[in-house]
Amino acid sequence: MPQHDLEERITSLEHKLEFVVMRDELAEVIRSLHLRFDKLENRFDTLENRFDTLENRFDRLENRVDANGVRLDSLTVRFDSFVDEQRLASEANGKAWEKLDGQMTVAEADRDRLFNRLDAIQTALENRGIEVD
């Protein structure tokens, strides 16, 4: 075998060896990339779970806000109703006082007439000589 053939074979073997080394290095790089992608996927899964948890908490808070809104609406209606009742009661109370005041005025006028009549009777009796105490 001539030296030239031997050199060509050595060169060929070196190229094959370089190719094998490169192929093994590439395989290691690919394995490393797969591991990194798996870690990223786990992180995304964790983030997705956290997002779902936050979304559920937000939904619960939103439901509580809606429930409180309904309660506030109910309280507003009840308060408005109470205000109307108080206004009507106040108006009725004012009318009741006006009516009572009118009755008292009538009673006072009746009392004045009664006393005037009693005075007239007393005077008439005294004019006839009858003492009245």
Side-chain angles (χ1 to χ4, degrees), residues 13-123:
L13 285 173
E14 285 176 348
H15 284 297
K16 285 181 182 179
L17 186 61
E18 286 177 18
F19 177 74
V20 168
V21 169
M22 284 180 60
R23 190 179 65 194
D24 287 346
E25 288 175 352
L26 286 174
E28 185 60 34
V29 167
I30 289 172
R31 273 193 295 273
S32 175
L33 287 174
H34 279 291
L35 288 175
R36 287 183 181 179
F37 283 136
D38 288 344
K39 287 180 183 178
L40 284 174
E41 187 176 8
N42 287 338
R43 282 185 175 175
F44 279 121
D45 288 344
T46 302
L47 287 174
E48 188 176 7
N49 288 337
R50 286 184 180 174
F51 180 75
D52 289 343
T53 301
L54 288 173
E55 191 174 26
N56 289 339
R57 289 175 66 190
F58 179 79
D59 288 343
R60 284 195 305 268
L61 285 173
E62 191 174 33
N63 290 339
R64 286 175 62 189
V65 167
D66 290 344
N68 285 337
V70 168
R71 287 173 53 195
L72 283 174
D73 290 344
S74 173
L75 286 175
T76 300
V77 168
R78 288 172 59 192
F79 182 75
D80 290 344
S81 175
F82 176 75
V83 167
D84 290 341
E85 287 175 11
Q86 292 301 309
R87 184 180 44 75
L88 291 173
S90 178
E91 289 173 1
N93 192 22
K95 290 177 184 174
W97 278 110
E98 288 174 11
K99 186 175 181 181
L100 181 61
D101 187 44
Q103 289 173 350
M104 292 297 286
T105 304
V106 170
E108 203 171 304
D110 287 345
R111 189 183 69 185
D112 288 342
R113 271 186 265 142
L114 176 65
F115 283 134
N116 287 339
R117 283 188 184 168
L118 285 175
D119 285 341
I121 292 171
Q122 185 177 2
T123 303

